[in-house]
Amino acid sequence: RLNRGIFMKDITRGIRESETALKDFDKQLNSLDANGKTSAISKAFNGLLGDGGAGLAARVGIYAIAAQSVYAVVNAFKDGAKFAVEFEDKLDTLQAISGATNTQMVGLSAAILDTGKNSRFALTDIAEATIQLAQAGFTVKDTSVALQDISNFAAASGTSFKESVDLITAALGAFQLQASETSRITDV
């Protein structure tokens, strides 16, 4: 059910960190002189370790930078997998509470993803708020339509997505409005 595009934010961040580490690695390699010594490291270790020690220290430093790059990439994938599991759990909970069919869940998850693309809120926060909407009695259709309005309201009011859902559902109840009238509340 989960689209590969969901991981892009975490993976992109990991790739950027890896690129930075690889650029540092490249700088280290380019700064090696003909004898295999890095000039800065040579100066620091020349008196302590001798010429061979400086070359060894340079190589150890280069390997450390390479290891850091690999570690950043592994962490990006690990974070992406963790996110996918959390997001899937929230969608499963949402389906159980809302009683949505698999077909409806495809549309609802697409609405969550679209809202996430167009807002500053994390997909897991939006999914959690969508669960709140289902608990408040919103239909799948009303929830899909309301997500972008709630996102805009949250951004404009400076509140979290969850707080915005709380405010909107309270206002709907106070004025005895239907869930389909969410845009009336968020436009005020």
Side-chain angles (χ1 to χ4, degrees):
R1 223 183 346 179
L2 194 57
N3 186 330
R4 290 182 192 167
I6 293 173
F7 303 111
M8 290 312 294
K9 285 183 182 177
D10 289 330
I11 291 173
T12 301
R13 179 177 42 93
I15 290 172
R16 283 187 191 131
E17 290 172 1
S18 298
E19 285 175 346
T20 301
L22 288 172
K23 285 178 185 175
D24 291 342
F25 177 73
D26 190 48
K27 286 179 187 175
Q28 288 287 332
L29 285 177
N30 289 332
S31 69
L32 293 175
D33 65 18
N35 295 325
K37 300 175 208 163
T38 303
S39 59
I41 294 175
S42 293
K43 291 177 186 174
F45 289 104
N46 197 19
L48 296 173
L49 301 174
D51 292 352
L56 175 64
R59 283 188 290 277
V60 168
I62 290 170
Y63 292 134
I65 291 169
Q68 181 183 10
S69 299
V70 170
Y71 181 74
V73 170
V74 168
N75 271 343
F77 284 107
K78 186 174 94 177
D79 290 346
K82 180 181 172 189
F83 164 78
V85 169
E86 283 180 38
F87 188 70
E88 281 292 322
D89 285 346
K90 297 218 184 284
L91 289 179
D92 289 342
T93 302
L94 176 61
Q95 186 172 19
I97 291 171
S98 68
T101 65
N102 288 339
T103 304
Q104 288 174 318
M105 284 305 297
V106 169
L108 192 51
S109 62
I112 293 169
L113 293 171
D114 287 342
T115 302
K117 270 192 249 179
N118 300 320
S119 73
R120 64 179 174 89
F121 301 103
L123 290 175
T124 52
D125 294 339
I126 297 169
E128 185 67 37
T130 306
I131 292 169
Q132 284 181 269
L133 292 172
Q135 291 169 333
F138 277 55
T139 66
V140 173
K141 181 181 176 187
D142 290 338
T143 300
S144 293
V145 171
L147 285 176
Q148 192 59 53
D149 290 332
I150 294 168
S151 175
N152 294 340
F153 177 80
S157 65
T159 61
S160 71
F161 212 89
K162 181 185 181 322
E163 291 169 326
S164 293
V165 168
D166 289 339
L167 291 169
I168 290 166
T169 54
L172 288 170
F175 294 109
Q176 298 178 354
L177 299 172
Q178 299 297 313
S180 60
E181 298 177 280
T182 301
S183 62
R184 286 182 60 195
I185 299 294
T186 59
D187 286 342
V188 173

